[in-house]
Amino acid sequence: MATTLPVKIEFSLPEGWQPAPPDEVGAPGVAFIALHSASREGFTANITIAGKMRDTIDLVAIGDESVQRLREAATVSVAHRTEVGTPEAPALTQTLRISTSLHGRLLDLVQSQVYLVMQDVHNPAEHAVIELVLTAKSTQIAQVEEDFKDFVRSLRPADSSAE
């Protein structure tokens, strides 16, 4: 079942990406998914957004949780991990190599994950962790990774004065 985000955000989708209903495309547990219409050769590259309130904001531990979840269904290795951002707005990026099967065929995927900490504007002591994920076949990643970077750069808290 699709979820909602604990904070309101705004973003821009790069050209060539189309939003889709998460439950209809097999992405339960995410609040948003966009599909890359030009990359349908056996797997459609996608961008997802999920998030939740967290008691702790240890982003490395959160990244490790993601790896463990994926390992329940696939072989996963962490290719790259970097803590970025500022002390006031920490973030973590990690790139995962995933080997799994889809419809009985071996599939090599790359997943770029970005974890952003966003402070609750109404209660600054509370924090949400927003998870932005690009998943693509290893042969597709070069054509979509710049789009993902543009997407991540476009993300911002929603204008609360518009409520």
Side-chain angles (χ1 to χ4, degrees):
M1 179 172 185
T3 65
T4 58
L5 293 175
V7 294
K8 293 183 181 190
I9 60 172
E10 297 174 349
F11 54 87
S12 299
L13 274 179
E15 190 174 322
W17 293 85
Q18 298 298 318
D23 290 332
E24 290 179 23
V25 296
V30 302
F32 177 84
I33 185 168
L35 305 175
H36 187 252
S37 55
S39 64
R40 295 190 185 266
E41 68 272 357
F43 182 85
T44 304
N46 61 80
I47 293 173
T48 60
I49 304 174
K52 61 183 177 180
M53 299 304 284
R54 303 286 296 220
D55 292 334
T56 62
I57 52 171
D58 180 345
L59 294 177
V60 171
I62 293 168
D64 287 343
E65 289 172 15
S66 176
V67 171
Q68 286 305 112
R69 261 191 327 272
L70 289 167
R71 282 186 176 149
E72 293 174 10
T75 302
V76 180
S77 64
V78 178
H80 182 76
R81 179 183 280 173
T82 306
E83 292 183 75
V84 295
T86 65
E88 298 79 30
L92 176 89
T93 65
Q94 65 182 16
T95 302
L96 308 178
R97 304 268 181 223
I98 303 168
S99 183
T100 190
S101 62
L102 181 66
H103 308 298
R105 293 182 25 217
L106 186 62
L107 189 59
D108 289 321
L109 301 173
V110 175
Q111 194 170 83
S112 294
Q113 300 177 336
V114 177
Y115 293 93
L116 304 171
V117 176
M118 298 182 82
Q119 201 171 44
D120 185 318
V121 293
H122 302 295
N123 183 359
E126 301 225 353
H127 297 86
V129 175
I130 303 300
E131 175 187 79
L132 311 171
V133 178
L134 167 67
T135 306
K137 287 182 13 180
S138 56
T139 57
Q140 298 168 326
I141 196 71
Q143 75 184 71
V144 295
E145 63 189 347
E146 283 304 314
D147 286 352
F148 184 62
K149 290 176 185 177
D150 291 343
F151 167 75
V152 171
R153 283 190 289 267
S154 79
L155 190 121
R156 62 203 167 282
D159 182 1
S160 59
S161 66
E163 293 178 12

